[in-house]
């Protein structure tokens, strides 16, 4: 019997952690430790560890738990293959169909159960996940409606406009806390990417690192509304950006600017960091080439001009 989506997600994440060096050879894992990390019961945690042991990544020692003994066999696979398993696989099947206009804008739960072979609980779960991040909503009375939000390059442009307003403002909030421990952790991650991770880390790991930088930085502002807005926009834009192969060339400039902002904040120069953040977000949108290819050339120029004026 194939592993459940939950077990698959745990296996996937642990494999990626081994591949990128977060878990090194000899690292200890236990069912309880994994269950706590993934907020699940011990049963799927142990099943995932047993599967990793069968793959040869872990070795189990009686009464001691599991230990990392080797890199996953697929570590040499195409690093640009994006397999986002932060959500159940059926969530991404649904979102991909919606992005590709393979399903209508208004559906019933029965339609989704029949199309994807899901239970009622699974359908309700993925619809609630979609509603939480803003691309689905229940219709009055019966059925569900999918929204165009984060489906088009125009919507992505709007997201970056809002980000260009709130992220620099977050750096200038009176309640901003210069948490050196958080900044050091962010700096280390960006430095590791620049030191070779750009070419070797899986694409989804690189994408998450970029999202984490911005979310952790705005959290330091002390403005919970700013942080909440950014997290929701990150979830929304992932629908577009996870479907594209990551452009590794632009990551050198992106990570360099991330490090410059961290150093400015460490030095207490938040005003200069805010100016750099505006420039950074404007450039980030302009460089989203896989997304902008969907637009006509004139629309692309208009988008860049509009965003430049907004920041």
């Amino acid at each position: 019997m194939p592993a459940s989506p939950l077990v698959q997600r745990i296996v996937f994440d642990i494999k990626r952690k081994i591949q990128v060096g977060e878990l090194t050879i000899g690292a200890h894992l236990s069912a309880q430790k994994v269950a706590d990390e993934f907020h699940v019961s011990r049963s799927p945690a142990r099943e995932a560890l047993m599967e990793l042991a069968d793959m040869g990544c872990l070795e189990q020692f009686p009464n001691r738990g599991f230990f990392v003994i080797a890199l996953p066999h697929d570590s040499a696979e195409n690093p640009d293959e994006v397999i986002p398993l932060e959500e159940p696989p059926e969530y991404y099947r649904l979102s991909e169909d919606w992005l590709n206009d393979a399903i209508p804008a208004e559906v019933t739960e029965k339609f989704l159960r029949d199309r994807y072979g899901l239970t009622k609980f699974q359908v309700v779960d993925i619809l609630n996940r979609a509603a939480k991040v803003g691309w689905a909503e229940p219709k009055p009375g019966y059925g569900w409606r999918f929204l165009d939000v984060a489906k088009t390059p125009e919507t992505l442009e709007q997201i970056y406009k809002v980000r260009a307003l709130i992220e620099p403002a977050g750096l200038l909030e009176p309640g901003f806390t210069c948490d050196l421990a958080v900044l050091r952790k962010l700096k280390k991650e960006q430095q590791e990417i620049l030191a070779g991770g750009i070419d070797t880390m899986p694409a989804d790991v690189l994408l998450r690192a970029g999202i984490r930088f911005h979310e952790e930085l705005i959290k330091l502002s002390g403005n919970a509304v700013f942080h909440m807005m950014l997290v929701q926009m990150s979830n929304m834009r992932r629908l577009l950006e996870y479907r594209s192969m990551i452009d590794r060339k632009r990551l050198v400039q992106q990570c360099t600017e991330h490090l410059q902002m961290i150093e400015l904040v460490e030095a207490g120069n938040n005003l200069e960091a805010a100016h750099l953040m505006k420039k950074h977000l404007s450039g980030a949108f302009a460089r989203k080439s896989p997304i902008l290819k969907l637009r006509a050339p004139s629309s692309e120029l208009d988008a860049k001009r509009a965003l430049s004026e907004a920041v």
Side-chain angles (χ1 to χ4, degrees), residues 40-268:
V40 298
S41 66
R42 286 170 55 91
S43 178
R46 181 172 178 78
E47 186 178 342
L49 291 173
M50 293 295 293
E51 185 166 331
L52 286 162
D54 290 340
M55 293 177 184
C57 302
L58 306 180
E59 184 173 0
Q60 183 182 14
F61 291 87
N63 302 318
R64 294 180 60 199
F66 296 79
F67 293 82
V68 178
I69 59 171
L71 288 172
H73 296 307
D74 62 353
S75 59
E77 289 181 354
N78 178 12
D80 277 339
E81 182 183 359
V82 178
I83 311 175
L85 290 177
E86 295 174 339
E87 307 285 356
E90 56 267 20
Y91 174 89
Y92 290 100
R93 290 169 60 197
L94 174 63
S95 62
E96 192 66 20
D97 279 353
W98 172 233
L99 288 169
N100 290 320
D101 297 316
I103 55 176
E106 297 186 357
V107 299
T108 63
E109 292 178 12
K110 183 179 185 307
F111 170 85
L112 297 178
R113 290 201 305 271
D114 293 344
R115 179 178 179 84
Y116 300 110
L118 303 176
T119 66
K120 179 177 177 59
F121 173 82
Q122 287 176 308
V123 167
V124 171
D125 178 55
I126 62 175
L127 287 171
N128 284 334
R129 290 172 186 266
K132 184 177 179 180
V133 297
W135 62 276
E137 64 180 12
K139 292 175 58 181
Y142 185 71
W144 286 76
R145 178 184 297 111
F146 299 122
L147 309 175
D148 283 336
V149 64
K151 185 179 180 179
T152 65
E154 290 76 16
T155 303
L156 188 65
E157 173 192 346
Q158 293 165 4
I159 288 173
Y160 272 86
K161 282 183 178 180
V162 176
R163 290 183 61 197
L165 293 173
I166 67 171
E167 292 194 56
L171 288 163
L172 301 177
E173 279 286 282
F176 187 93
T177 301
C178 183
D179 189 324
L180 294 179
V182 171
L183 294 174
R184 280 195 296 269
K185 186 175 180 180
L186 292 175
K187 179 185 286 188
K188 182 175 183 292
E189 185 170 48
Q190 297 299 310
Q191 288 172 334
E192 288 174 349
I193 294 173
L194 279 177
I198 287 176
D199 298 318
T200 61
M201 289 182 178
D204 60 316
V205 173
L206 294 170
L207 286 167
R208 286 188 226 178
I211 290 173
R212 185 160 45 248
F213 168 81
H214 287 275
E215 291 183 356
E216 289 295 319
L217 200 58
I218 204 167
K219 188 187 296 184
L220 296 180
S221 72
N223 189 319
V225 175
F226 280 176
H227 180 249
M228 177 185 67
M229 291 171 64
L230 182 61
V231 169
Q232 181 160 354
M233 285 187 289
S234 295
N235 288 330
M236 289 159 56
R237 68 187 176 90
R238 266 181 13 217
L239 289 179
L240 275 176
E241 294 179 356
Y242 263 145
R243 75 192 295 212
S244 304
M245 295 304 180
I246 193 166
D247 179 3
R248 292 175 181 266
K249 294 178 182 178
R250 70 178 177 83
L251 288 180
V252 174
Q253 181 175 349
Q254 174 181 300
C255 291
T256 299
E257 291 176 356
H258 285 175
L259 286 170
Q260 290 172 349
M261 280 183 268
I262 292 171
E263 291 168 357
L264 287 168
V265 172
E266 286 176 329

Side-chain angles (χ1 to χ4, degrees), residues 156-157 159-165 167-168 214 253 257 261 274-288 292 300 303-311:
L156 188 65
E157 173 192 346
I159 288 173
Y160 272 86
K161 282 183 178 180
V162 176
R163 290 183 61 197
L165 293 173
E167 292 194 56
H214 287 275
Q253 181 175 349
E257 291 176 356
M261 280 183 268
H275 289 315
L276 179 56
M277 180 66 80
K278 284 186 178 182
K279 178 183 176 183
H280 174 76
L281 290 171
S282 177
F285 177 73
R287 291 191 297 271
K288 294 291 181 185
L292 292 178
E300 180 179 339
K304 292 179 182 179
R305 186 180 303 113
L307 187 59
S308 174
E309 293 170 354
V311 300

Side-chain angles (χ1 to χ4, degrees), residues 27-47:
H28 174 253
L29 293 170
S30 67
Q32 188 60 59
K33 182 178 179 180
V34 171
D36 292 342
E37 179 179 352
F38 289 91
H39 306 290
V40 298
S41 66
R42 286 170 55 91
S43 178
R46 181 172 178 78
E47 186 178 342

